[in-house]
């Protein structure tokens, strides 16, 4: 049946392409022998003023006389094709970050763009040209997850600029492909810039970061996506930066993005952000003024209606020249040309992608593999994990044990094969096991019926597996998190009290070990529960195969290897105010207090050790790379993977210098008892620092270079991380 559908789809695409070629033969912008830039100019010159303005909003109408089809620019692909029917749902972005594996991020994005190409062709063949059906994806989110209260932190790659840049760059390259002429799909780096909550303030909040924080923390990932991945688009944020709305910031959009980084793609406003100029930031007094300010600032595409309603009036009032409209539209249309929308189908290699890639077995298996590698083992007292598949009475409980909703996070696609944790365990244990299940607790509030037998069942169980946490109903975007008391953000970072109380009841009644499986897209304070649990797995929002992946880890078919891309603080009181964007006291780089779980931490069912660290040179030479070699040993009897991490720390810390900084990492696999020399490279550009004036400078003095599989901190060692190997580097 699938083969028949594939043949039919390809036939329809071919017929559509043939018809289009016949109809457009006389339109010069369809001539593939002319450069994209020339064709875009010719097409713009053929449009009327009204037609030009209509093409600058996200839902562009067709222009029949020019054979220009309609196109909707608004599409999402954060962890799979979103909001557009059936597609593979991969683990949420924060879970992908926990793999510390850019190659895996590239594989995921390549799979997503394969599905995107196939779905786009089918959508075109049935006349679906609406929202979420195109190839311009407003993905990835490379904002820095600086505060665990932010509901959208789950969309990011964590708190570290270096890790975020590595993962984001790989993801964009997977989305956009490697053809020298055509884009496979078009990525967008968002939200530019200095944007990470609070959601309730985002439409009028003015962030005033120090120059050091701006260039050291908030901009590096964007710079990497622009200069290394050649990302097609950048989305400007809702908030203001240093007094100017981000979508009207000459510093961000002209000086930094275009002049310093050489960006040549398109700039899209966050949705409704241009309306905020007048309504939120109060920098304009009318719609035409807002439209003119955005266009002058560099915004090519308005997600919203400000250009649609007011740009014509701005032109008539001489607030903008027609030449500027032409310039912005020409830049924008280049993306559609690069996607191959105006060329014969046979010229674009990405048109060869067939429908059988959509939710294919290979992509489903990839989703499961990513989920397995993202799961972080935080605790495993007395080696209670892995469990035996022949366990007699396993008890699965908790508000998210049977939840499909928990698997998908936000900005999700649709799948017909979501596997809950309960289903994954049911498929893993012996058919002779007396698997028992009760939810036991509601997700976010007390049970209505006070009579609850679920805690009592723990008395009969050989192991209790309690699946707790939060979901995208509690943390997410302003308009989506329906269980949030603060427009998508979390007021507290503890688990809902009813869940805490329920786990305590389970602990009081348990006969066997209590295993906590925690689902969340952000750090959660589980200080009260950590002493009660024998083992803790952190599973993020693990995608459609999450239940199978959790079962793979619980029962030993997979050795856990995820590492935290975030610092888990012990208490919200250890953090500065949410609306304080200064990095002092935030993230592993500047947090003075001991965390609950440190950045980079993650345990295994085996034990790794690090020995004999060497470096290519004891004194760093400006601009030159450092090459490190370290011997890594798997001392256990089972194979495993870990993430080798290299950190640089000042021996005599000055002013507001980072305590430690991640400089290189590599995921490796070792067989039982295997020893291997692992080589890491710290690029010369990654050794530079940012001073208080925002200037890039070469470090001075003595630094400690530490290599291990966690942050080099006392807390890491307390939790069971391997001791680090250290050397001194002089600058």
């Amino acid at each position: 049946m699938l083969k028949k559908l594939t043949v039919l789809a390809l036939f329809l695409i071919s017929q559509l392409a043939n018809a289009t070629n016949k109809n457009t033969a006389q339109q010069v912008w369809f001539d593939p022998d002319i450069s994209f830039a020339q064709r875009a100019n010719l097409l713009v010159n053929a449009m009327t003023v009204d037609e030009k303005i209509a093409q600058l909003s996200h839902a562009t109408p067709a222009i029949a006389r020019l054979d220009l089809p309609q196109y909707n620019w608004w599409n999402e692909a954060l962890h799979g094709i979103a909001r557009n029917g059936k597609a593979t749902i991969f683990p949420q972005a924060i879970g992908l970050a926990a793999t510390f594996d850019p190659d895996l991020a590239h594989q995921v994005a390549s799979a997503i763009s394969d599905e995107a190409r196939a779905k786009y062709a089918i959508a075109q063949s049935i006349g679906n040209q609406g929202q979420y059906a195109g190839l311009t994806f407003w993905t990835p989110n490379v904002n820095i997850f600086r505060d665990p209260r932010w509901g959208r932190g789950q969309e990011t790659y964590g708190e570290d600029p270096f890790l975020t840049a590595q993962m984001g760059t790989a993801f964009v390259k997977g989305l956009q492909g490697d053809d020298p002429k055509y884009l496979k799909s078009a990525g967008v780096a968002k939200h530019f810039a200095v944007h990470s909550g609070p959601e309730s303030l985002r439409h009028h909040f003015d962030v005033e970061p120090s120059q050091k924080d701006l260039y050291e923390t908030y901009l590096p990932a964007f710079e990497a996506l622009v200069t290394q991945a050649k990302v097609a688009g950048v989305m400007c944020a809702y908030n203001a930066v240093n007094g100017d709305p981000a979508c009207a910031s000459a510093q961000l959009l002209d000086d930094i993005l275009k002049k310093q980084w050489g960006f040549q793609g398109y700039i899209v406003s966050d949705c409704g952000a241009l309306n905020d100029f007048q309504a939120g930031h109060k920098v304009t007094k009318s719609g035409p003024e807002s439209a003119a300010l955005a266009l002058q600032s560099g915004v090519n595409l308005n997600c919203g209606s400000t250009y649609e309603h007011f740009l014509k009036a701005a032109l008539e009032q001489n607030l903008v020249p027609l030449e500027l409209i032409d310039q912005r539209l020409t830049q924008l249309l280049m993306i559609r040309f690069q996607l191959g929308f105006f060329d014969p189908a046979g010229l674009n290699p990405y048109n060869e992608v067939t429908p059988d890639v959509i939710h294919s077995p290979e992509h489903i298996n990839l989703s499961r593999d990513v989920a397995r590698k993202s799961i972080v083992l935080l605790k495993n007292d007395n080696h209670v994990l892995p469990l035996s598949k022949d366990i007699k009475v396993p008890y699965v409980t908790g508000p998210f044990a049977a939840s499909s909703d928990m698997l998908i996070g936000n900005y999700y696609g649709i799948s017909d094969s979501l596997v809950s944790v309960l289903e994954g365990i049911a498929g893993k244990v012996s058919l002779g096991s007396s698997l028992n299940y009760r939810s036991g607790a509601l997700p976010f509030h007390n049970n209505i019926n006070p009579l609850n037998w679920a805690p009592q069942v723990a008395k009969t169980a050989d192991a209790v597996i309690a699946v707790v946490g939060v979901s995208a109903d509690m943390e997410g975007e302003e308009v989506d998190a329906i269980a949030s008391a603060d427009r998508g953000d979390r007021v507290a970072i503890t688990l809902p009290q009813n869940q805490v109380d329920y786990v305590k009841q389970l602990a009081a009644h348990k006969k066997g070990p209590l295993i906590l499986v925690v689902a969340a897209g952000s750090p959660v304070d589980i200080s009260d529960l950590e002493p009660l649990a024998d083992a803790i797995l952190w599973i993020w929002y693990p995608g459609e195969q999450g239940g199978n992946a959790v079962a793979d880890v619980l029962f030993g078919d997979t050795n856990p290897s995820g590492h935290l891309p975030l610092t888990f603080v012990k208490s919200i009181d250890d953090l500065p105010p949410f609306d304080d964007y200064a990095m002092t006291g935030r993230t592993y780089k500047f947090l003075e207090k001991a965390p609950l779980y440190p950045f980079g931490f993650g345990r295994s069912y085996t034990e790794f050790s690090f020995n004999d660290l060497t470096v290519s040179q004891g004194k760093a030479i400006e601009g030159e790379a450092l090459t490190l070699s370290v011997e890594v040993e798997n001392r256990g009897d089972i194979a495993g993977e870990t993430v080798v991490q290299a950190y640089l720390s000042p021996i005599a810390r000055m002013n507001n210098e980072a305590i430690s900084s991640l400089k290189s990492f590599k995921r490796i696999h070792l067989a039982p008892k295997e020893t291997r020399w692992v080589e890491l490279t710290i690029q010369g550009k990654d050794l530079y620092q940012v001073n208080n004036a925002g200037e890039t400078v070469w470090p001075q003095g003595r630094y400690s270079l530490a290599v291990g599989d966690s942050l080099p901190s006392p807390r890491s060692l307390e939790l069971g991380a391997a001791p680090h190997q250290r050397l001194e580097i002089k600058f």
Side-chain angles (χ1 to χ4, degrees), residues 259 273 289 293 300 316 429 436 518 565 620 657 679 715:
K259 292 177 181 175
E289 285 186 16
L293 179 59
N300 303 91
E316 293 171 344
V429 298
N436 204 340
V518 188
E657 190 175 9
E679 186 174 281
R715 182 60 177 156

Side-chain angles (χ1 to χ4, degrees), residues 2 103 157 273 322 331-332 446 449 540 581 639 677 683:
L2 181 60
D103 290 339
Y157 299 121
L322 181 59
Q331 293 167 336
L332 182 62
N446 292 335
N449 181 355
W540 314 104
Y581 268 73
W677 282 94
Q683 300 296 336

